[in-house]
Amino acid sequence: MARSPSFAGLILAAGESSRMGTDKALLPWPPPLPGRLPSSETFLSAAIASLMLATDFVLIVVGKNEPKLAPIVYARGASLVTNPDPGRGQFSSLQVGLHEVLNRGRDAAVITLVDRPPVSSATVQLLRDAFEAAPPEVWAVVPDFSGKHGHPYLVGRELMEAFLQAPATASAREVERRYQEHIQYVAVSDPFVTVNINTPEDYAALEPGG
């Protein structure tokens, strides 16, 4: 019997983007091209839009960058929660976000990172459909593009609680490996699921179509 979970969207955006030199959440999307006006959209606003249609609400985890990101978050109808100590690492932001997801009464989440070009809404819906059709022993659905796993990925309450019970020094990948038998990989045709942007060179090499 198919599940009907209530989904939250969760975007982790509390990092300092030290290698990029500027907050990756604020990078224009799509990247500027010669002879064209720069886009008014950003990685953050586009990520919110990609999750909106398949979730009940979208929550962004911010850190010291809250003053810069809050106007974008609220203008797009999303919400934010602050990681009080983002220096603890990305996993701590995941735990902060998942606490809020559970506090808001949701039992599943679509999780992604802000340091990557947004996947299409169709990709998010494909993953959601796969999660809803999966048997109860599947705790998460992860996209697979050409043999590589990426984001966004979908987690149910069981894996959410496993993330929250792990020490802040852990990583999502470590926890996922521990529960490998409960993870389903779904082939997608969207190359952006495996792309992340760390440097200006990474950003300059991006092509909007993937």
Side-chain angles (χ1 to χ4, degrees), residues 80-180:
L80 58 76
V81 60
T82 301
N83 182 346
D85 186 10
R88 293 178 300 162
Q90 188 181 90
F91 191 67
S92 70
S93 289
L94 176 61
Q95 291 179 320
V96 167
L98 291 178
H99 270 299
E100 184 65 15
V101 168
L102 292 176
N103 285 343
R104 295 186 180 208
R106 298 309 187 272
D107 54 9
V110 185
I111 302 168
T112 195
L113 311 176
V114 82
D115 64 349
R116 56 191 56 232
V119 302
S120 70
S121 294
T123 297
V124 179
Q125 189 62 51
L126 173 68
L127 295 168
R128 174 169 174 155
D129 290 346
F131 186 88
E132 291 181 328
E137 58 267 23
V138 171
W139 295 359
V141 165
V142 176
D144 178 296
F145 178 77
S146 297
K148 295 182 179 180
H149 306 146
H151 294 74
Y153 61 97
L154 281 65
V155 301
R157 180 175 287 272
E158 297 90 349
L159 194 59
M160 291 167 68
E161 291 178 349
F163 283 144
L164 291 172
Q165 291 164 9
T169 53
S171 71
R173 186 166 295 178
E174 290 170 5
V175 177
E176 289 165 11
R177 278 200 294 262
R178 195 178 309 148
Y179 298 101
Q180 192 71 51

Side-chain angles (χ1 to χ4, degrees), residues 22-81:
T22 187
D23 196 322
K24 288 178 278 191
L26 301 176
L27 290 172
W29 180 258
L33 294 174
R36 291 191 188 179
L37 292 173
S39 172
S40 61
E41 295 298 317
T42 63
F43 268 32
L44 177 56
S45 64
I48 293 170
S50 76
L51 299 187
M52 271 290 185
L53 293 179
T55 60
D56 299 333
F57 61 84
V58 178
L59 182 68
I60 294 83
V61 182
V62 298
K64 297 175 183 177
N65 54 1
E66 178 180 353
K68 293 181 179 179
L69 302 194
I72 297 173
V73 171
Y74 295 134
R76 298 310 189 279
S79 303
L80 58 76
V81 60

